[in-house]
Amino acid sequence: MGVILPQTGSGADQAEWQRQGIELAKEEINNAGGLHGLPVELIYEDSKGGDPKEALSAYQKLTAFQPLTALLTWGSGVGIALTNFSNQDHVIQMGIATASPAYSTPNDYTFRDYPSSVSEGAFLADLVFNQLHYSKIAILYINNDYGLGMKKAFSKKYSELGGTIVAEEAFDKGTTDVRTELTNIQSTQPQALFLTTYPLEGAIIVTQAKELGLKLPFIASTAILGGKGFFDVAGNSAEGLLASRQKFDPSDPNPTTQTFTKLYKSKYGTDPNIYSVWAYDGLKVLASAMKICEDPKDTLCIKDQLLATRDYPGAIGKISFDKNGDIQADFQVFVVKGERFEPYAIPS
């Protein structure tokens, strides 16, 4: 199997956590005898910050001299860019950090154990409109497949609920200056700002918002949570920011969660996070489908078994795939307090 992660550039922190989860799953599978006696072998390639062109080069490298059974990928742009190729070559693609609605394609070789922006966007729209009671907001989003997908999913549901979007501003990945976009937003006088960004750009945004005196509540989607150095840049500028994430608790008494947490902590010396569990579950659910097939390299059989998967006992909880290879997920909210993300109690 191949694994394409952003081992360098933006997302490298997430790639490190995900590689740890993948390696843990691989060891567990192989220690139990592998798949029909065959060991799981993984070849890693670098998408260099989740660049679709780099991911395509990595895919071509992986498939140039050997057949590929399955592929684990990070990033909406990467997943979308490789969809046609994985379908053409009958290679199972498992997105382990892939949110864009555009990745949803029926009855093909693409799957993900990461929730679609459609479900998270709807959750956040309900949070903003019905729980926090902000009826007039602005949106600031990263201009790529992830940001566009989340922005559209949130906007659709928020508008259906009766909310008004007074401004939409986009910024490029890797930007270091969003003062113009923030000034434009400030002039529209929203009650809150919905933010879709990666960690570094998010840290820059909250820092520059504070410099400009922009005193708005910030509500962000999952991707802002996945960086070690977020608070090194943001400092106390992120205080009060809310962010959503699929529910995961390493202390959950669920036996699969406890097994995973124990193995992870023993190997890496710390509790697992959401990115490591998505990666772990992604490989484990793949292996579960392969075990059912007489030939663990029969990708048509693997595809059919994944599409039929219901309530697989993942470390994050039960996993079921619909006809698009998507999952359903429950979400929770975190708030920044004292330069830490802590669980947030949604107002009743």
Side-chain angles (χ1 to χ4, degrees):
M1 300 185 215
V3 184
I4 301 178
L5 301 176
Q7 297 178 77
T8 57
S10 178
D13 291 344
Q14 296 175 21
E16 178 185 345
W17 295 320
Q18 295 213 302
R19 184 165 185 153
Q20 290 172 347
I22 291 168
E23 286 297 310
L24 198 64
K26 184 188 80 169
E27 288 181 19
E28 195 175 342
I29 294 163
N30 288 342
N31 288 342
L35 302 174
H36 297 282
L38 296 173
V40 171
E41 296 181 2
L42 301 172
I43 303 172
Y44 288 85
E45 293 291 341
D46 186 5
S47 64
K48 299 180 181 177
D51 186 320
K53 291 181 180 178
E54 293 291 345
L56 179 56
S57 295
Y59 179 84
Q60 291 169 337
K61 184 178 177 182
L62 285 167
T63 57
F65 303 108
Q66 58 194 336
L68 196 62
T69 302
L71 184 68
L72 283 80
T73 60
W74 176 100
S76 294
V78 169
I80 292 168
L82 297 181
T83 290
N84 286 340
F85 295 94
S86 63
N87 282 327
Q88 175 184 298
D89 298 337
H90 293 187
V91 173
I92 304 293
Q93 181 178 188
M94 181 65 69
I96 54 175
T98 307
S100 174
Y103 186 72
S104 291
T105 44
N107 303 312
D108 67 358
Y109 289 83
T110 62
F111 298 83
R112 56 179 158 192
D113 69 337
Y114 185 106
S116 167
S117 296
V118 172
S119 55
E120 187 182 1
F123 171 82
L124 283 164
D126 180 74
L127 170 71
V128 171
F129 188 82
N130 289 323
Q131 309 298 322
L132 301 176
H133 306 295
Y134 298 134
S135 59
K136 187 175 75 168
I137 60 111
I139 299 175
L140 183 58
Y141 65 97
I142 192 165
N143 191 21
N144 63 7
D145 288 302
Y146 170 70
L148 284 165
M150 185 62 72
K151 187 264 294 188
K152 290 178 181 178
F154 174 87
S155 299
K156 182 176 184 296
K157 183 64 176 179
Y158 185 73
S159 297
E160 288 173 356
L161 291 170
T164 300
I165 299 168
V166 295
E168 291 184 4
E169 294 283 340
F171 60 92
D172 292 330
K173 181 181 176 182
T175 190
T176 58
D177 190 349
V178 289
R179 293 177 180 87
T180 298
E181 291 82 359
L182 288 169
T183 300
N184 292 341
I185 286 169
Q186 191 171 27
S187 69
T188 65
Q189 299 183 323
Q191 294 172 310
L193 178 60
F194 176 65
L195 182 60
T196 293
T197 179
Y198 297 145
L200 178 57
E201 292 88 344
I204 290 168
I205 288 166
V206 296
T207 300
Q208 293 181 354
K210 185 176 181 180
E211 291 171 358
L212 291 170
L214 183 60
K215 296 179 180 179
L216 283 177
F218 281 73
I219 302 97
S221 56
T222 295
I224 200 171
L225 292 163
K228 295 178 181 177
F230 176 80
F231 291 109
D232 292 340
V233 177
N236 62 10
S237 298
E239 190 73 13
L241 178 144
L242 300 180
S244 66
R245 193 201 71 184
Q246 185 179 1
K247 285 184 178 179
F248 172 63
D249 180 0
S251 64
D252 191 311
N254 168 23
T256 311
T257 306
Q258 284 307 297
T259 297
F260 168 62
T261 299
K262 183 178 179 181
L263 290 170
Y264 190 94
K265 199 163 187 176
S266 174
K267 188 173 181 66
Y268 301 113
T270 184
D271 280 338
N273 66 18
I274 192 75
Y275 288 94
S276 56
V277 77
W278 278 321
Y280 175 86
D281 278 347
L283 182 53
K284 288 296 293 290
V285 75
L286 261 174
S288 176
M290 291 175 176
K291 286 180 181 178
I292 298 172
C293 299
E294 288 188 20
D295 179 358
K297 294 183 282 187
D298 180 352
T299 55
L300 177 59
C301 176
I302 298 165
K303 172 176 76 77
D304 290 343
Q305 292 301 328
L306 285 171
L307 287 169
T309 296
R310 298 292 180 271
D311 295 334
Y312 171 82
I316 204 168
K318 293 180 179 179
I319 297 172
S320 301
F321 294 109
D322 65 17
K323 68 177 183 179
N324 294 313
D326 288 346
I327 63 164
Q328 291 298 315
D330 294 324
F331 296 92
Q332 63 188 123
V333 181
F334 290 83
V335 62
V336 174
K337 285 186 177 180
E339 300 186 19
R340 290 178 49 132
F341 284 101
E342 298 182 358
Y344 174 74
I346 298 173
S348 57

